Amino acid sequence: MAKKSMIEREKKRERLVAQYAAKRAALKEIANDESKPMEERFKARLKLAKLPRNSAPSRLHNRCQLTGRPHAYYRKLKISRIMLRELASNGQLPGMVKSSW
């Protein structure tokens, strides 16, 4: 189980990303528009830099929904390899068969 503080920090980042997504997209569009004057593009980049760092989507990290584990994460299932194995062994995941030979 991951520390509660890390799980809460990740949730806070997710909220910030959602909150600033529209503003960030608009500023990026202005900053990358070649037809706009250089000064206007530069101002857009400065405003973009003043936004909170945790509002950038690249700062998000996938975590297991059950344990909060940040490593060995399966995107399709949104759980870690350890929980995948445990749930499969208990027969709680349909279609998963324990292999033995």
Side-chain angles (χ1 to χ4, degrees):
M1 187 76 182
K3 293 192 322 188
K4 289 281 185 192
S5 60
M6 295 304 290
I7 295 170
E8 290 304 315
R9 189 179 302 170
E10 196 64 39
K11 286 179 185 175
K12 181 182 177 184
R13 284 187 187 129
E14 287 173 7
R15 285 194 304 268
L16 281 172
V17 167
Q19 180 182 345
Y20 285 96
K23 189 172 189 177
R24 187 172 281 280
L27 287 171
K28 275 192 170 191
E29 191 176 320
I30 293 169
N32 294 331
D33 189 4
E34 295 284 331
S35 64
K36 301 236 187 247
M38 188 64 121
E39 294 152 1
E40 188 177 338
R41 293 171 60 200
F42 185 69
K43 285 181 183 176
R45 289 198 188 274
L46 288 177
K47 286 181 183 176
L48 197 59
K50 286 189 177 182
L51 292 178
R53 281 191 177 179
N54 282 336
S55 69
S58 61
R59 290 181 65 102
L60 289 177
H61 200 286
N62 293 328
R63 286 184 174 271
C64 176
Q65 298 256 316
L66 304 173
T67 60
R69 180 181 166 84
H71 298 291
Y73 172 86
Y74 286 96
R75 287 182 183 180
K76 271 189 172 178
L77 303 171
K78 297 187 178 183
I79 57 174
S80 66
R81 66 177 172 83
I82 297 166
M83 289 309 297
L84 176 72
R85 182 184 171 107
E86 195 173 305
L87 292 173
S89 293
N90 294 339
Q92 295 175 336
L93 287 178
M96 295 288 285
V97 180
K98 181 183 172 193
S99 65
S100 58
W101 57 91

